Amino acid sequence: MRLKEEFRQETIINKSRFIACVNRATSEEEARAYIEEIRSEFRDATHVCTAYMLGPNNMIQRSSDNHEPSGTAGVPMLESIRKSGLSDVVACVVRYFGGIKLGAGGLVRAYGGAVADALAKAKKTEEVTLHRYSITYPYSMSGTLESWLRRYTTIDELYYDEQVTASILTDRSDIEKQIKDLSRGSVKAEFLWDEASERDII
């Protein structure tokens, strides 16, 4: 499961502004570029603390307290990413100090909570394996087959020749049986290959 797009959320805690910015990054270069972008955008912030977790089995993990007391910002942010179950995440929390000190425990809760909350609310996608099939059928079956295909699969292309050929994508495992049943055995769904895709998590 991954983030679909960047998400930001602001929280006020004891007069300090905390702006959590979370995004997707598939490499350290991407993560660092995003961090620089946020630091550049919020040049006047008191702190811009960061964390990211990415790569195979989330093996690349980095965090920075950016001059907050050691262990009070980056580590709790990283822990919130870990607990979210998401992969390939970069998080920045921008802080504008409001004049009231939060103490170590308060900072841990503020930074970790800001990231956890943002990740919970951000739009997400999941990787799915789609099966590509080619289905050729007579024009007389267009009504029956095409309406079913449009409802239960994604029609990628339609070719009109002596017969109709539909190129479809689906995550259904029963497509061959369904086409056979709908056509009373006269049409066969020909499996071509599998391909990875993503779908939104609602």
Side-chain angles (χ1 to χ4, degrees):
M1 198 164 53
R2 291 176 171 82
L3 291 172
K4 182 180 181 182
E5 59 198 13
E6 185 194 30
F7 180 79
R8 297 184 181 190
Q9 178 171 275
E10 183 174 328
T11 315
I12 307 290
I13 302 172
N14 285 352
K15 297 186 179 178
S16 278
R17 285 174 66 204
F18 290 87
I19 306 164
C21 309
V22 296
N23 206 354
R24 181 170 170 166
T26 54
S27 68
E28 279 205 270
E29 290 73 26
E30 277 183 27
R32 287 181 186 139
Y34 180 69
I35 289 166
E36 285 312 308
E37 193 181 300
I38 296 298
R39 286 192 169 144
S40 176
E41 183 180 342
F42 296 97
R43 285 181 196 280
D44 59 338
T46 317
H47 305 279
V48 179
C49 302
T50 63
Y52 56 85
M53 190 168 79
L54 49 96
N57 301 314
N58 293 320
M59 53 195 295
I60 301 168
Q61 301 184 17
R62 307 268 187 274
S63 66
S64 166
D65 295 314
N66 193 226
H67 309 301
E68 288 282 28
S70 180
T72 61
V75 171
M77 289 167 63
L78 196 58
E79 188 59 25
S80 291
I81 297 173
R82 200 176 288 121
K83 286 179 178 173
S84 73
L86 293 164
S87 302
D88 299 333
V89 174
V90 54
C92 300
V93 176
V94 178
R95 183 188 184 190
Y96 287 92
F97 182 55
I100 300 172
K101 291 189 175 181
L102 301 182
L107 289 172
V108 168
R109 285 190 295 276
Y111 281 101
V115 171
D117 220 33
L119 291 176
K121 292 175 181 172
K123 290 181 180 176
K124 301 167 191 74
T125 65
E126 64 181 351
E127 196 168 280
V128 291
T129 299
L130 294 179
H131 317 298
R132 183 175 287 278
Y133 283 88
S134 178
I135 303 165
T136 301
Y137 49 90
Y139 284 89
S140 59
M141 302 197 83
S142 288
T144 306
L145 286 176
E146 272 175 46
S147 59
W148 189 89
L149 290 173
R150 287 186 194 285
R151 186 170 179 187
Y152 295 107
T153 75
T154 298
I155 298 178
D156 205 26
E157 290 180 285
L158 285 171
Y159 302 95
Y160 296 97
D161 199 359
E162 290 181 14
Q163 296 193 91
V164 183
T165 298
S167 176
I168 65 151
L169 285 165
T170 181
D171 60 352
R172 294 179 68 111
S173 58
D174 64 344
I175 191 78
E176 293 180 37
K177 180 182 183 305
Q178 290 290 344
I179 296 301
K180 187 178 178 182
D181 290 350
L182 283 165
S183 66
R184 301 189 181 199
S186 64
V187 175
K188 185 184 173 191
E190 182 190 350
F191 173 75
L192 299 177
W193 60 77
D194 285 337
E195 51 194 79
S197 185
E198 288 188 350
R199 69 172 163 216
D200 294 353
I201 297 171
I202 300 168

